[in-house]
Every structure is written in C-alpha cells, then in structure tokens.
Amino acid sequence: MIRAVMVISTQGKPRLLKFYEFQPPEKQQEIVRYVYGALSERPENVSNFVDADSVFGQGTRLVYKHMATLYIVFAFDSSENELAMLDLIQVFVQTLDKCFKNVCELDVIFNFNKLHTILDEMILGGQVIETNSDQILKHVDDIARIEKSSSTTSLVPKSISARFGR
Amino acid sequence: MASPPPLPSSTSVLSSASSLADSLFQRSLDDLIKSLRSDPSSEPSIIARSLSEIRREIRSSDPLTKSIALQKLTYLSSLHFHSMSFAAFHTLELLPSPSPQTKRLAYLAASLSFHPSTTELLPLATHQLHKDLTSLSTSSSSSFPFLPSLPLHLLSLASSADLSSHLAPDLVPLLSRSSPLQPKAVAATYRVLSLCPSTVPVLFKPLVDCLSSDNPLTVSAAVGAFCELSAPPNDPAPYLPLAPEIYRVLVNSRSNWTLIKALKIFSRLVPLEPRLGTRIVEPLSKFLRESQAKSLVLECIKTVVSCLPTHTEAMRLAIDKIKELLSSDDDPNLRYLGLQTLGMLAPGHLWALEESREVVAQSLTDPDRSICHEALRVMMAMTLQENSIESCTLLVRQAAKSDPEFANEILDSVLTSCSKDFYELVVDFDWYVSLLGEMARIVHCTKGDEISRQLVDIGLRVRDARPELVRVARELLIDPSLLGNHFLYNVLSAAAWISGEYVEFSKDPMELVEALLQPRTSLLPTSARAVYIQSVLKVLTFSCNSHIDESSSLVNDTVIARMLSLIEMTVGPLAESEEAEVEDRVRNLLGVVRLVANIKDLSVDKDKDGMIYEVVRVMDALFSDEMGPVSANAQKKVSVPEDLDLKDNLADLSEFISDNDAAMSRSNPSILFYPQSCNASEEVEVGPTSVAESTSLKEHRKRHGLYYLSTDKETTEPELTEDYPRVNETLPPSNGDTTRRVKVTKLRPTVVKLDEGEDLATSSSLSTKVEAMKDDPLSGAIKDVLLGKNGNGASSSFDASSSSQGKGKDKVKGKEIKSKKGEEGESKDRHKGRRKHKHRKEPAPPVSVAQETPVIQDFLL
C-alpha cells in the first residue's frame, strides 16, 4: 500500500501531508525532516527511488519527483510496483497542473483543502482508486460545484471579514 | 480538553456578543497563510496567537465561524504539527452539518487527526458515519452523490475495530452496487477487514464478487485489496481458493495496474501451490515479450525470478529483460530496478549475476546513492568462497574512494558477510587479516569496533592466521599517525593484544616494544593504554625466555638491555598514573623489569642463579597458555555447586573485605576483548594451573613451535584435539559446502566453532513465528469462509439467524439496513454474534459462499 503522500518545498517546508497509517504530529515532523534530508542531498538526474526502511519500516521506499520548488513524494511498501508509483506521481502532477493551470508552489500553499480533495479522489486509505487524471478532475469539479451551489444560499460572503484581515 | 460548546439556550449576552465579533472579524485560512508567509521569522508567535483565537472561535455557536476555526486548526495541525486533540469534540459536532462544504472540512479534520489510540470520542462518530454511509439509499440527498466517500475515507484512516465492526454491514450495499463509489468501498473494506477480522463473514463475499465486477476500477481495487490482505506478514494460504478468480483477471484485464496487483498475489500463492506456476507462466511470458508498459514488465520479472525459477524459458526471458534494464544508460530508475531484480537472482542463478559483474562494479561509483546501495547488495549476494577475494578487495578499494557514509556502509557489509557463519566466505585468512588492516586504515573508517573484534576473534579461532595477524598488527602499531584517530583506538588495542599474545611470531621484539611505547601512545584512552603496557610485559617475558633458551638469534644482551632501559624510562613515570588500570599494569611491568635486570650478566653461566631463571620461566608460562574462543553458552554449562546458596545474604561479609581486597577487585579489567574478558581469565584462572605444570612447559612451547611451522598435517591432527578440547573442529563430511571447498586450491585452515548449536534457537523461533502466522485471526476467519464447511452447518445457522433477526433490529444498526436477501440478514446477524467474541467458534459460513467458490483442485487439473 501507499504509506504516505508528501509535498515538501525545496526549503524543507511541508505543503501537503497525508499519512495512510496514523502518525502522531511529532512523528510526522520527524518523518518530514528525514525525508527532506534524504532528498535534498541527492544530485539532479539520479533515480527517483530512496530507501525508507528507517522511517516507514522494512521494505518501504520513497519515490519522488522534483518539480521547480517542490518535492512530491510517495512512500510505499512491497505491495506496490516502483514504476507504477512513479506513474502515479505523474498522474497527481498532471491533475494538479490541469486543476491550477500550470501548478506552482503558491497554488499548493493556498489550496490546502482542494489538494486533499484531489488526493482523496485518487487514493483511499493507501489504495489507488483512480489513475485517470481527467476522471479525478471531473470528480473534484463535481464536488466543488455541489458545494458551491449549496453554500451560496446559506452563507454570508466571507470576503467581508477577509478585508479586515490583520 | 474537549469542553462542550456553549449551548445556545444558555448563552449569556456577553458571550454571544464576543461570538458575533469573532464571526465578523474572524480570519480565514487564507488570511492565516498570508500572515505566516509575510513574516516567516515570527512564525511561532503568529501560530500561538492563531491557536488561541481558534480555541475561542471553535466554541462559537455559529457553525460557519466554527468550521473556519476548524479549517485553520486542521491546517496548523497538518503542516505545522500542532496537536488538535482538544478539538475532537468540535470536529464531531460539525460532522452532521447540512452544508457539504462544512461536512467535508469536518471529515478531513477527523481523518487527519482521529485515531483510536488517541481519540477517546471516536465511538461517538459511529452514528453519523452510519448515516452518511447509507445516505444514498435512505434519503433524497442524492444531490450529493459523493457523500458516502467521506466516511469511507475516515473509516480507512482512523477507524477502530469496534467502529469497523459496527459499520461493516453498511459497506455491503456500497460494495454490491456498481457506482463510482464502489472502488472506494472496496478500498475501505480492506482496511475494515484487516482491523476487525470478525467482519469477514459480512464483507468477504461481496469483496470476492467485486473481482468479477463490470467496472474495471472496482476490479482493480478488489485485486489491490486481496494483494494487501495476502501481503506479509499475513498468511497468504487462505486466498488460494481465489486463484481461479485472480487468474481470470490476469488473463482478461487490460489495466496494467490491475495486472501488477494480480501478479503480486500470484507471487505469494505460487510458493504454496507450485502447480499454479505452470498456469501463469504462459500469460507472464506473453507480457514479458509484448508489453510496452515497463511497470508490468518489471512486475513480471519479479514474479518469474521469485517464484518460477524452474521455468527455464520464462527465466531466460526475465534475465534478458533484467540485462535490458541494466543497460539503460539514460534512465537511472531502470538501472536501479535492474540492479534490484538482479539481486533477486541470487543464489539460484549466480551465473547471471556473474555475467553482469562489470555493470555492478561500475554502479558502485554511480553518483546516485540508491544505485550504489543496490550495487553493494548485489555484490555481496554474488560473493562466494571462490570469488570473495576478488569481490571484497574491489569493495574495499571502492570504499577508500567513496564518501564517508557509503565507505562505511561498504565496510560494514564486507565485515558482516565475511564474518558470517564463522568466516565461511574466507578461505585465505592471511588475505582477510591483511584486508582488515587495510580497512582500518581507510580514512573515514568508523568500523573500528567490529574490525578489532574480528582481529581478536580470528586470533583465537584460526591458528594458521596468527603469523599474518602479528604482521598486520605490527604495521598498525608502528604507524604513529594512526594514534590520532579515535575510531581506531579499539583496533590499535586489539593489535597490541595480538602482538603480545602471539609474540612468538614477531620478527623483531625490540621494534615491537618501541612501537608500543612510542610517545604518541599518550593519546590513547586508558583502556587501550593498559593493553599496550600489558603487551609490553608479554613481549619482555618472551624475549627474556628466548634469551635464556638461546632459541632466538634476535635477542641478545644488548637488545634486552635496551629494552629494559626503554621500558624503565617511558613507563616509569606512569607508575603514579591516576588510572587504576594503567597504574596496576605499569607496576607489574616495572616489577618484572627490575627482576630481570640482572639476567644480562648471567646469560653466560646459567646455573648461577636458578631463581631468576625459574621466575622468568614461570612468567613466560603464565602467558604461553593458549586461549581459545569461549562459547556464548559456556556459563550455562558450568553446573552450580550443590552447596552454593546464591540467595544467601552476603552483607555480613563486608567486615572481612579490607582495602586490599578492594584493590584486587579493581583489577577486574574493563578491557573486554571478545569473547568474554580474555585478560581476566589469563590472570586469574589460567595462571595457577600453568605454574603447576611449569616443568613441562618448555617442551610444550617447543611442540607449539613445531605445530606452527610444520607442513605435515599428520602430527598436527592429534595435537589439535589435545590442545583444543572444547572444539568440535571436524566438520561433518555431509556438510553442503565441502563439495565447494574441494575446488579451492588453497586448503582452508580450521576455524574453531563453538556456538553452532545456537542455530537451533533461531530456527525454533522461526517456527513459532510461522505458528503465530497460522493463528492470525484474519486468515483464520477467511479460511472459515472460503474452505469452510457447508451443508447442515449452514442450514442450522440459517435457522438461528432468522430467529435472532428481531433481536438484531433492536440494536443501533438493525433498523436502517435494508436487507434485500435473507443471506444478507443472516451474515449481518452472524456478524453481531461475532462481536461478542465468539467468532472462532461459530460453525459455518453462508451456504452461498461454499457453493460458489470453486475448489482449487478443479482449476489446477
């Protein structure tokens, strides 16, 4: 299964974290630090796989993709195929790209909930449920539409309070 | 911390005013992120302020204010690692929200932060989860068709066994109806099953049915679920009856994802049922030949290599593909995976590894650490007695060139694999010993502890290696630059011990004494220093003795005189050392020095002072007794004397213990060489017995010399048994590696082994592990369902279920389930029974399962 999905900036800041096996916050912080340490010392143009035995247990590995200022990292165990995981990262990136029109770190930073929604349409409890980025996007859009239509009727536009932002 | 929120009815004017202010001026998540970004240096204070705001806002009676507070908290918890356990109750409060957006926020918060181990309130979510899971069938909320996916996520991330068993019946309709939700339900079902094996009777059959669903995504998810269920450490045996279903998927599916998972399942089933191999080998070979998808090809390679080694044709294809991967110069990922799969070929197809030796050796220098790792692993996998010299020399040379971290990894694996099973890989100990010396000298070497352990261990176990050991030790000792490296202190101390213990092989005792007393030894820690000084003592007694015997041309009056004056000069000041260890040994040494200072005059006339000769000989005898390795179980073999009462109170002894005794107990050395304190035994136990037999000692020593020098093995054989009574040195002729050893030109010296019996312990622990695996409740439950009894057992359970159905409906779940078939009702009921922990005793599965599941044998024929 997939043990975790992490998006970490090249500065070492986590931008999206989802652990498919419960980790308390302190442990999460430790993992992010370890993963960032392991990835940041790797040169360009090397393979995308790193052993992760020491954080996720025996036989686990990280597969990552370095995109501009972000590392997109999946941790997985022996029940997953390495190249399939690499493809899955590609699917995730593609979906983000389609969703945000050339995704950049800012999109990831300001769309915390949307990123989770996208990820949840792709992976459930560490199991891959959809690998077609168009389908994922369609589901995400459907959800957004439904949420919008139900929220316009009931909510005071929150932008007013946003203006008072300190 | 979860304090209940203010109830609207009892809210004071004040609090409602503040809550109004909160909602009017509340900062959104975006505001929070912006302020964090605008001033990264004051991040902690911003977060602290936000957290206190959130604590206030989250108690608000306005659901929107509350939900935004929760959203911010989720963000801070997920990306800034702040605990949000205090908000568990508020999260639960928002789960039923009519707004889909708020509901989603609440579910996200819950799935990220809830866990049975930390969230006591988790059971309170049961009803809401149930409601949302069944929302499609019960209400008109079909305007939000994705609703049940929210509780599915929560169920798979944060569920407890209890929650799983309560909600399992709700998954059944989702599993059985083809919809976009079906794959999600399948994925969640896996988690529920593994959390709560008692749900197997309810969920297993619908899950199996998903394997033949029309929706390819559902099939994929179902195959994935079985792949996880059969993964180690689970026992894959219960899934054998599913082989026909999985095979059908393997042949019909077009999705590479699904095929990969199906192959993974087969790679676990084939070892249990080799006949399956002949079935899957054909589609596998087809994929290997034709598939364009690298991931699928990779999986085929792995499956063939790991479980179809007897299918030559497929094996050949796979090996070709591995070589293709290895030669893909432009894609480091493929080379990495090539190396990984290459390693899987050992030990069965070493020729294939051997053919790629060059690529592997080259990969050791790759800029990619992951590739280096794999290359090292492969290198070690293909190292045998025949090529150990070549491989290890190459690796150590590579270590000298690598960065510190990888260098030590290389050294570590060389040291570990060479010392495995009493140095089984090593044929030429002279080579290995000098390799150890070479390793110690590698600049970044931090493996000093292990190297020193092996140096001493080989000294104790392998007689033939001792001359070379002494030579290597000398080289280490005479190099003053090594004394500055604290990683090497143990190695140096081992070298000093070896030079003292086996001084008879030393070419030049004087040089040795000089090396042991060189000025830079002051850099050594006390423990090593003590060993150095003790070794000087051994060298000195040996030199004196051989001078008396005139057995060595290297020692004469002048040498002894120089030695004595050097020792006096350098060691003398240390007699006042504050370190007890050092002081003790220095005083011993000086005592002997002063005693033998007279010999130089007496060497011509031996009878003049018999006393001194006698003392020198006794001293020499003290050290000449051979030390062997000590079995790890040696202590157990010593029977406790009958009159020894270990529980006796020793307090009344304290008055007898004087200062002298305390000083004596101090000499119990902290320099513990492996195995267990050789120095201690040498002084305390060996000494007296040696003195007793001192008359025969000269002869004994001569015989020793003969033994070491001689090339005729006939005379040595009986010696061996005499001197090493504890050794089971003769290997049983049926030993598998004797055939291999025949090919080796150089005869491997005897390696003393003592603890071979320990293997028994590990193998028995292995078997208990297997036992434990068989007892795994999940596989037990699945076996019950798949292989379980049918006929009367089932019919009786039908009766039981129909009578108890009414009871079931009184419970929380019962009324909401629209059980269309009796079968469903039955399984639900059975499941309720199981919740009372009677699960293993329940007799039979639903009759339908037993009928529909084909028996494996039919498929195989």
Side-chain angles (χ1 to χ4, degrees):
Chain A
M1 64 180 271
I2 297 166
R3 300 291 183 91
V5 171
M6 293 168 268
V7 177
I8 303 175
S9 79
T10 42
Q11 305 295 309
K13 294 237 182 255
R15 297 303 184 202
L16 169 74
L17 296 178
K18 190 125 190 169
F19 294 92
Y20 293 103
E21 273 177 340
F22 180 75
Q23 310 281 0
E26 317 81 59
K27 178 81 174 138
Q28 291 186 9
Q29 190 164 17
E30 198 186 309
I31 292 174
V32 169
R33 208 173 290 147
Y34 173 88
V35 169
Y36 174 69
L39 297 189
S40 57
E41 69 176 18
R42 287 177 67 78
E44 287 294 319
N45 301 321
V46 294
S47 71
N48 301 91
F49 300 102
V50 180
D51 278 357
D53 292 3
S54 54
V55 272
F56 289 103
Q58 188 67 39
T60 54
R61 250 165 299 166
L62 305 176
V63 54
Y64 71 100
K65 207 158 188 117
H66 186 173
M67 289 183 37
T69 56
L70 292 175
Y71 290 114
I72 295 168
V73 192
F74 283 30
F76 60 95
D77 62 21
S78 64
S79 290
E80 301 293 339
N81 179 290
E82 291 83 352
L83 291 173
M85 284 297 108
L86 201 58
D87 288 347
L88 194 66
I89 290 201
Q90 194 54 38
V91 171
F92 185 53
V93 173
Q94 260 175 21
T95 318
L96 293 185
D97 252 348
K98 284 177 189 163
C99 188
F100 298 110
K101 310 276 179 282
N102 278 330
V103 65
C104 69
E105 191 179 349
L106 275 182
D107 294 320
V108 176
I109 293 172
F110 283 102
N111 289 284
F112 178 75
N113 289 294
K114 188 148 195 177
L115 248 70
H116 274 285
T117 311
I118 293 174
L119 196 57
D120 284 354
E121 286 305 313
M122 197 165 103
I123 301 169
L124 190 145
Q127 303 290 302
V128 180
I129 44 175
E130 177 62 85
T131 55
N132 181 329
S133 63
D134 290 329
Q135 280 300 321
I136 297 171
L137 205 61
K138 187 175 160 289
H139 291 164
V140 173
D141 286 346
D142 285 351
I143 291 169
R145 200 175 338 103
I146 290 166
E147 286 184 353
K148 210 169 175 183
S149 67
S150 68
S151 65
T152 42
T153 53
S154 64
L155 301 183
V156 182
K158 207 59 200 174
S159 56
I160 293 177
S161 72
R163 248 173 241 161
F164 290 97
R166 282 150 280 185
Chain B
M1 260 318 280
S3 56
L7 298 168
S9 58
S10 65
T11 324
S12 71
V13 179
L14 194 69
S15 79
S16 76
S18 82
S19 129
L20 184 66
D22 277 345
S23 43
L24 269 180
F25 297 107
Q26 188 183 25
R27 296 198 296 170
S28 69
L29 176 59
D30 277 7
D31 297 335
L32 173 64
I33 297 173
K34 274 178 197 152
S35 68
L36 279 170
R37 283 178 59 78
S38 64
D39 190 5
S41 55
S42 53
E43 194 182 281
S45 64
I46 295 175
I47 291 178
R49 207 176 63 220
S50 307
L51 278 173
S52 69
E53 279 171 14
I54 289 167
R55 275 172 194 274
R56 202 174 61 241
E57 290 163 5
I58 207 159
R59 291 201 201 98
S60 160
S61 53
D62 172 30
L64 186 65
T65 311
K66 204 182 187 73
S67 75
I68 288 174
L70 185 66
Q71 188 184 18
K72 289 192 285 186
L73 184 60
T74 313
Y75 177 84
L76 289 179
S77 158
S78 174
L79 298 183
H80 293 272
F81 313 111
H82 289 277
S83 167
M84 59 181 290
S85 54
F86 69 86
F89 189 81
H90 305 291
T91 311
L92 284 173
E93 271 186 320
L94 287 174
L95 284 182
S97 164
S99 149
Q101 208 168 359
T102 308
K103 201 185 233 334
R104 179 171 289 276
L105 286 179
Y107 267 109
L108 178 63
S111 64
L112 289 180
S113 66
F114 281 13
H115 190 257
S117 64
T118 51
T119 314
E120 290 167 8
L121 299 174
L122 193 60
L124 297 184
T126 315
H127 180 64
Q128 189 55 43
L129 285 173
H130 164 71
K131 225 170 125 183
D132 289 340
L133 276 174
T134 52
S135 61
L136 290 191
S137 48
T138 51
S139 69
S140 58
S141 67
S142 53
S143 58
F144 188 33
F146 298 106
L147 185 55
S149 78
L150 296 173
L152 288 177
H153 276 283
L154 182 58
L155 206 53
S156 64
L157 289 178
S159 186
S160 64
D162 260 4
L163 196 60
S164 299
S165 83
H166 280 88
L167 296 174
D170 299 333
L171 290 174
V172 176
L174 292 172
L175 282 175
S176 342
R177 192 182 319 125
S178 182
S179 77
L181 284 168
Q182 203 180 12
K184 294 182 180 179
V186 170
T189 300
Y190 150 64
R191 293 296 278 248
V192 168
L193 280 176
S194 55
L195 262 177
C196 181
S198 62
T199 57
V200 166
V202 191
L203 293 174
F204 200 73
K205 180 169 182 304
L207 188 61
V208 172
D209 289 345
C210 286
L211 282 174
S212 42
S213 160
D214 297 335
N215 182 351
L217 285 175
T218 305
V219 178
S220 180
V223 176
F226 284 112
C227 177
E228 294 295 338
L229 286 170
S230 63
N234 294 341
D235 176 17
Y239 308 97
L240 262 178
L242 292 177
E245 300 281 342
I246 312 280
Y247 181 77
R248 203 172 306 139
V249 172
L250 186 70
V251 180
N252 296 330
S253 174
R254 300 232 171 139
S255 152
N256 291 329
W257 284 90
T258 317
L259 292 173
I260 287 170
K261 294 282 181 178
L263 286 175
K264 289 220 183 256
I265 301 178
F266 273 118
S267 70
R268 287 159 193 155
L269 296 184
V270 171
L272 302 173
E273 178 50 88
R275 285 177 294 174
L276 279 175
T278 41
R279 283 303 289 249
I280 62 163
V281 71
E282 194 190 323
L284 262 175
S285 308
K286 190 166 147 265
F287 294 143
L288 272 174
R289 268 192 299 267
E290 293 167 14
S291 177
Q292 294 298 309
K294 290 249 168 23
S295 51
L296 180 60
V297 171
L298 174 70
E299 201 55 50
C300 291
I301 296 175
K302 286 188 179 181
T303 315
V304 171
V305 168
S306 65
C307 55
L308 302 173
T310 50
H311 296 80
T312 342
E313 184 69 3
M315 204 61 198
R316 203 180 46 74
L317 264 175
I319 290 174
D320 284 351
K321 286 286 173 187
I322 292 177
K323 287 189 177 153
E324 236 169 75
L325 291 177
L326 284 173
S327 61
S328 39
D329 290 329
D330 53 337
D331 192 340
N333 286 326
L334 297 186
R335 271 188 292 137
Y336 167 79
L337 295 167
L339 284 169
Q340 200 190 26
T341 41
L342 187 66
M344 292 168 71
L345 287 169
H349 294 76
L350 283 170
W351 56 270
L353 278 83
E354 225 24 84
E355 279 178 16
S356 303
R357 177 177 276 272
E358 220 161 284
V359 185
V360 178
Q362 215 165 15
S363 303
L364 284 171
T365 60
D366 201 278
D368 185 349
R369 180 60 63 77
S370 302
I371 289 184
C372 294
H373 273 303
E374 288 303 327
L376 178 59
R377 219 173 286 174
V378 175
M379 206 70 186
M380 287 336 295
M382 64 164 115
T383 301
L384 299 173
Q385 273 194 347
E386 293 92 283
N387 58 17
S388 60
I389 295 186
E390 189 191 344
S391 298
C392 295
T393 313
L394 180 118
L395 283 171
V396 171
R397 205 167 298 150
Q398 183 55 44
K401 287 185 280 183
S402 302
D403 60 306
E405 201 184 327
F406 189 52
N408 281 305
E409 265 165 50
I410 295 182
L411 294 184
D412 196 40
S413 44
V414 171
L415 286 167
T416 318
S417 29
C418 284
S419 63
K420 216 172 88 193
D421 293 330
F422 301 102
Y423 309 94
E424 200 191 6
L425 276 183
V426 181
V427 182
D428 182 351
F429 274 89
D430 288 356
W431 159 77
Y432 185 58
V433 165
S434 58
L435 188 75
L436 285 176
E438 212 175 300
M439 286 193 224
R441 285 160 171 277
I442 288 175
V443 190
H444 310 293
C445 171
T446 56
K447 300 287 161 195
D449 292 359
E450 178 61 15
I451 294 176
S452 61
R453 187 193 74 77
Q454 292 194 13
L455 283 173
V456 173
D457 195 38
I458 292 174
L460 297 176
R461 289 183 197 274
V462 190
R463 290 183 169 198
D464 294 1
R466 287 173 192 171
E468 181 65 12
L469 262 179
V470 170
R471 195 192 64 74
V472 169
R474 172 189 165 270
E475 273 175 14
L476 291 169
L477 290 175
I478 60 172
D479 186 349
S481 65
L482 298 181
L483 284 160
N485 182 349
H486 70 272
F487 288 118
L488 291 186
Y489 288 160
N490 276 339
V491 177
L492 290 174
S493 139
W497 182 83
I498 287 165
S499 328
E501 185 64 23
Y502 307 118
V503 61
E504 63 264 30
F505 301 111
S506 175
K507 299 258 170 11
D508 185 352
M510 185 58 214
E511 183 199 44
L512 199 55
V513 172
E514 279 167 355
L516 288 169
L517 294 176
Q518 61 184 296
R520 276 174 69 95
T521 52
S522 58
L523 296 169
L524 290 172
T526 323
S527 56
R529 209 102 209 248
V531 179
Y532 266 60
I533 291 166
Q534 184 75 1
S535 294
V536 173
L537 178 61
K538 289 179 188 172
V539 177
L540 178 64
T541 31
F542 171 76
S543 305
C544 291
N545 201 41
S546 46
H547 181 43
I548 292 168
D549 291 351
E550 290 167 4
S551 56
S552 165
S553 58
L554 285 167
V555 190
N556 52 38
D557 283 349
T558 32
V559 169
I560 298 274
R562 268 176 55 214
M563 206 180 267
L564 290 175
S565 68
L566 177 68
I567 294 172
E568 235 181 321
M569 202 174 66
T570 49
V571 173
L574 288 173
E576 304 303 320
S577 167
E578 290 183 0
E579 300 294 343
E581 253 338 298
V582 175
E583 187 202 333
D584 227 25
R585 280 148 210 278
V586 164
R587 282 171 186 270
N588 286 344
L589 178 55
L590 288 178
V592 176
V593 165
R594 281 165 202 154
L595 189 70
V596 298
N598 301 318
I599 292 191
K600 59 186 172 188
D601 314 325
L602 303 169
S603 59
V604 192
D605 183 3
K606 286 186 183 170
D607 300 324
K608 216 169 179 179
D609 195 341
M611 261 296 281
I612 290 176
Y613 290 127
E614 202 52 37
V615 169
V616 168
R617 285 198 177 151
V618 168
M619 286 298 296
D620 194 48
L622 260 178
F623 299 128
S624 68
D625 217 38
E626 182 135 349
M627 265 184 258
V630 179
S631 160
N633 300 319
Q635 186 64 49
K636 284 185 213 148
K637 288 177 188 157
V638 180
S639 56
V640 182
E642 276 176 26
D643 53 343
L644 182 68
D645 186 3
L646 287 173
K647 285 176 185 159
D648 197 19
N649 190 354
L650 298 179
D652 49 339
L653 278 180
S654 60
E655 56 189 278
F656 298 112
I657 298 176
S658 63
D659 287 349
N660 287 343
D661 293 333
M664 266 174 69
S665 66
R666 203 175 47 177
S667 74
N668 186 19
S670 59
I671 332 127
L672 295 188
F673 275 119
Y674 176 91
Q676 294 102 16
S677 165
C678 305
N679 282 352
S681 64
E682 141 200 299
E683 287 183 355
V684 182
E685 290 149 37
V686 181
T689 52
S690 314
V691 175
E693 34 179 67
S694 65
T695 46
S696 63
L697 271 169
K698 191 179 165 188
E699 205 185 346
H700 175 78
R701 153 94 48 198
K702 269 185 185 162
R703 275 200 294 154
H704 260 247
L706 260 181
Y707 169 64
Y708 284 111
L709 293 172
S710 81
T711 44
D712 50 343
K713 290 282 170 189
E714 290 81 17
T715 54
T716 62
E717 282 307 318
E719 279 255 346
L720 207 97
T721 42
E722 245 179 74
D723 282 343
Y724 273 39
R726 289 162 296 178
V727 176
N728 40 354
E729 69 290 324
T730 43
L731 294 166
S734 62
N735 202 337
D737 58 12
T738 45
T739 47
R740 213 194 295 151
R741 201 172 298 156
V742 174
K743 290 181 223 155
V744 180
T745 47
K746 181 163 177 173
L747 201 66
R748 188 171 186 268
T750 315
V751 179
V752 179
K753 306 174 186 179
L754 292 173
D755 295 330
E756 282 175 309
E758 277 172 74
D759 293 353
L760 289 173
T762 51
S763 68
S764 73
S765 75
L766 200 82
S767 68
T768 50
K769 196 179 151 200
V770 171
E771 295 267 304
M773 229 165 76
K774 294 265 149 78
D775 279 352
D776 165 28
L778 179 60
S779 58
I782 289 168
K783 255 184 222 160
D784 284 355
V785 172
L786 276 176
L787 305 166
K789 321 93 204 180
N790 38 20
N792 42 15
S795 66
S796 71
S797 82
F798 247 119
D799 297 340
S801 73
S802 54
S803 66
S804 65
Q805 210 151 15
K807 251 190 285 170
K809 288 199 174 183
D810 294 337
K811 303 200 176 174
V812 195
K813 304 266 85 47
K815 52 183 184 278
E816 266 111 348
I817 306 289
K818 297 206 159 94
S819 51
K820 288 158 220 147
K821 297 175 215 160
E823 172 202 315
E824 251 181 51
E826 182 223 32
S827 50
K828 177 163 64 73
D829 242 73
R830 289 170 47 73
H831 145 67
K832 284 191 185 296
R834 274 162 205 242
R835 227 183 294 148
K836 296 167 203 157
H837 307 289
K838 284 181 186 164
H839 142 65
R840 299 304 293 279
K841 281 161 199 155
E842 291 250 343
V847 69
S848 52
V849 175
Q851 280 169 354
E852 281 174 27
T853 316
V855 182
I856 181 90
Q857 276 73 15
D858 300 347
F859 168 69
L860 289 166
L861 293 174

